[in-house]
Amino acid sequence: MDIEKIYRYIVTNFEGSRFEDIVLDKEDSMKFEKNTDEREKIRKDLNDKDYNKLIEMLSKNFMEQIVKGNRKIKFTKHDLEHILILYQDLIEDIADEELSEMQITKAHFERVKELIGLLGKEDCHSSHDHEKTISYSPTFVLDVLGIDEEKVQGKVLEIGCTKSADLVKYLRSKNIEAYGLDMDVEENEFLEKEDWLEKDFGSMEYDMILSNLAFTKHFLQNHLSDEGEYMEYATTFMRILEGLKIGGSFYYAPSVEFIEELLPEEKFEVINEFIDEENMRTIIKRLK
């Protein structure tokens, strides 16, 4: 599937010509060209990997457009979650053959307006159903992190497993001793509801630690923010590495090169790999 073509189709037909028009209630900015072929592709051919890539591209475009209109805005964790949900809803609507293009556009228009009014508020909640979980398929996460499923073994911890903990459950179905950590997860014998900044990762506890668009994404945001919790994230990062067994590895995306370059070479091996043209993942192996 040509994901770039699908992306352009969605932005052109359902986003309106300019995001500032949405803020100003100019509904006449909404225009589209009927294209049942693209909707059919979304309905039938969109696999997990392309779906998640599309959601990320649309969310990134949304944030870029908002920043153009307000350079002082700082997106909160809740904002990022709600933006992803916004585009999950849009894709679901486009795939629904019962909805017309205008119905889809108007519904998306209203959700965008609602979200814009909440941006930057840490405790924001909308009347829309936000019980949905932002999650990625297990195979997609493993692919993003560059992990060969056949080589996953030992005791595994996923940091930021999300409420659904799909990857942890998937690994456990393969008889792998996997555990998950997240503030939104429902706690049980292998899932822990805990703040990663407060978690005790132990000493040489895990063979593999994984984190996709979770811990290091927030670490990076805090590093770039004047008011961020940079030191808390830095010390937690080191505690995570101490939680690795000798020969164990920490797989994560995005990379945080500003701290990776400070790690002692005799103790840690750092491997950076490009996921695509813009994004990089990291594998840190504990040597001793």
Side-chain angles (χ1 to χ4, degrees):
M1 174 178 285
D2 187 343
I3 201 68
E4 289 284 347
K5 185 177 180 181
I6 296 294
Y7 165 76
R8 290 192 298 272
Y9 160 72
I10 292 174
V11 171
T12 300
N13 289 280
F14 300 107
E15 294 278 24
S17 60
R18 296 179 303 173
F19 268 91
E20 55 262 39
D21 288 348
I22 292 176
V23 181
L24 297 174
D25 287 327
K26 294 182 179 179
E27 293 196 36
D28 58 353
S29 69
M30 298 184 299
K31 57 184 179 181
F32 54 84
E33 298 175 1
K34 192 173 182 65
N35 192 327
T36 55
D37 289 343
E38 300 303 332
R39 289 189 67 180
E40 191 71 9
K41 289 177 184 177
I42 292 171
R43 186 178 301 118
K44 293 185 176 181
D45 301 331
L46 193 63
N47 60 38
D48 286 343
K49 184 174 181 179
D50 287 342
Y51 171 84
N52 286 296
K53 178 65 176 178
L54 182 59
I55 294 292
E56 291 172 15
M57 290 169 67
L58 291 166
S59 299
K60 181 179 179 181
N61 178 66
F62 176 89
M63 290 188 287
E64 288 176 349
Q65 297 301 319
I66 294 297
V67 169
K68 285 180 181 178
N70 181 4
R71 294 186 178 277
K72 294 183 179 180
I73 192 168
K74 292 183 178 180
F75 295 104
T76 68
K77 178 181 178 181
H78 289 293
D79 291 338
L80 299 177
E81 292 174 347
H82 297 329
I83 291 167
L84 289 174
I85 290 173
L86 174 74
Y87 287 103
Q88 287 181 335
D89 288 342
L90 177 58
I91 298 300
E92 287 180 10
D93 285 352
I94 294 173
D96 187 343
E97 58 187 350
E98 298 297 322
L99 297 176
S100 70
E101 283 84 354
M102 181 56 77
Q103 287 175 315
I104 296 167
T105 306
K106 284 184 174 291
H108 182 59
F109 181 87
E110 292 302 323
R111 290 194 292 259
V112 169
K113 285 201 298 183
E114 180 182 19
L115 178 57
I116 287 175
L118 297 170
L119 290 176
K121 299 177 182 179
E122 190 64 43
D123 60 346
C124 68
H125 295 282
S126 87
S127 58
H128 188 61
D129 178 15
H130 286 306
E131 292 301 313
K132 293 184 179 181
T133 302
I134 304 301
S135 61
Y136 302 92
S137 72
T139 53
F140 175 78
V141 173
L142 294 174
D143 183 57
V144 167
L145 297 179
I147 299 173
D148 182 347
E149 181 180 328
E150 298 300 320
K151 296 182 179 179
V152 179
Q153 58 185 357
K155 188 174 182 180
V156 180
L157 173 68
E158 183 185 14
I159 299 174
C161 63
T162 76
K163 184 177 181 179
S164 60
D166 291 332
L167 178 59
V168 175
K169 294 173 183 176
Y170 176 77
L171 292 177
R172 293 188 75 87
S173 73
K174 304 286 185 179
N175 296 317
I176 295 169
E177 187 185 2
Y179 300 88
L181 169 71
D182 199 283
M183 283 292 289
D184 294 326
V185 78
E186 185 174 341
E187 202 163 38
N188 60 29
E189 68 273 15
F190 58 88
L191 297 174
E192 183 178 3
K193 185 174 184 178
E194 176 68 280
D195 185 339
W196 51 43
L197 295 177
E198 299 177 3
K199 166 71 174 174
D200 179 4
F201 295 94
S203 176
M204 294 191 284
E205 184 82 13
Y206 301 98
D207 295 278
M208 299 179 72
I209 299 178
L210 321 175
S211 182
N212 176 45
L213 298 176
F215 176 78
T216 55
K217 179 185 73 173
H218 291 282
F219 188 2
L220 187 60
Q221 290 170 344
N222 277 269
H223 172 66
L224 297 174
S225 171
D226 294 335
E227 301 175 359
E229 301 171 294
Y230 170 78
M231 287 307 300
E232 289 89 338
Y233 274 85
T235 55
T236 300
F237 183 83
M238 296 309 299
R239 292 205 316 273
I240 292 171
L241 295 182
E242 289 300 319
L244 290 171
K245 295 178 181 178
I246 304 300
S249 296
F250 181 21
Y251 294 78
Y252 57 84
S255 298
V256 282
E257 296 175 272
F258 57 88
I259 193 169
E260 292 162 3
E261 63 188 16
L262 303 177
L263 297 175
E265 295 181 0
E266 69 277 7
K267 191 170 183 179
F268 299 103
E269 178 186 10
V270 181
I271 300 172
N272 295 117
E273 300 173 341
F274 280 101
I275 302 170
D276 51 36
E277 292 182 357
E278 298 181 357
N279 301 296
M280 185 175 288
R281 62 176 169 243
T282 297
I283 305 164
I284 298 181
K285 182 177 181 180
R286 183 171 181 179
L287 303 177
K288 65 179 184 179

